[in-house]
Amino acid sequence: MGTGTIRIRQYVEELPPRDPEGGVRIRTTLEVAKGKVLSWATQLEWLDPEEDRWVWVVRYDTAGGKGHRDRNRIAAHEPVPLPESPGKALNWAKRDLRSRAREYIEEYRAAKAQGKEAW
C-alpha cells in the first residue's frame, strides 16, 4: 500500500437495549491517510419496528468540511460546538449519541408520527 493511500474504515457498535421495540447501534466511518483522520461520520441507528429496518436517527459528520449534526426528519446541518481536532470531535460526537440515544429516538419517532419526511 502506498504512503498516499486513503483507507475507509467502518465500525458498528451495538448499544445496550434501551428500547424494547428495537435495537440501537452507532455506525462510524473514517477516511484515513498516513494514520491521520481526514473525514468521519458517526450515526445513531434504530431498528424501527414499524418499518422492520434500521433507520438513521442522528448523524454527525464532516461533509462540507465542517463538523455538524443532521437529525433525520428534523434538521439538516445543525451547527454544534465540536472540538477542532478530528479525533476529539469524533469522540465527542459518539459520547453524545450514546448518552442521548433515547432522547434522539423519541424526537425521531415524534417527527415521524407528525408526518415529517425522512431524508
Side-chain angles (χ1 to χ4, degrees):
M1 188 180 303
T3 57
T5 303
I6 295 175
R7 299 173 65 195
I8 306 295
R9 298 178 182 164
Q10 190 170 83
Y11 308 91
V12 175
E13 172 190 355
E14 299 285 334
L15 297 182
R18 296 183 183 169
D19 186 336
E21 298 178 10
V24 181
R25 67 187 184 190
I26 295 175
R27 178 181 306 276
T28 302
T29 305
L30 303 167
E31 185 180 42
V32 180
K34 297 181 184 176
K36 187 172 185 171
V37 175
L38 302 177
S39 65
W40 57 268
T42 189
Q43 67 185 27
L44 177 68
E45 298 176 345
W46 173 60
L47 185 57
D48 186 332
E50 292 176 2
E51 298 182 29
D52 194 29
R53 68 181 180 93
W54 290 97
V55 295
W56 73 272
V57 175
V58 177
R59 174 176 44 241
Y60 284 93
D61 63 56
T62 56
K66 182 152 176 68
H68 64 275
R69 176 176 58 203
D70 298 308
R71 292 192 295 159
N72 197 355
R73 299 181 185 264
I74 297 171
H77 293 278
E78 291 180 307
V80 289
L82 294 171
E84 290 294 318
S85 160
K88 288 181 181 179
L90 174 59
N91 288 334
W92 185 96
K94 288 180 5 180
R95 278 193 306 273
D96 179 67
L97 294 177
R98 283 185 203 106
S99 68
R100 297 178 63 194
R102 165 69 23 233
E103 174 186 345
Y104 285 138
I105 291 168
E106 289 306 318
E107 290 172 348
Y108 170 85
R109 291 173 87 166
K112 181 180 175 184
Q114 293 172 8
K116 295 183 179 175
E117 292 295 316
W119 299 325

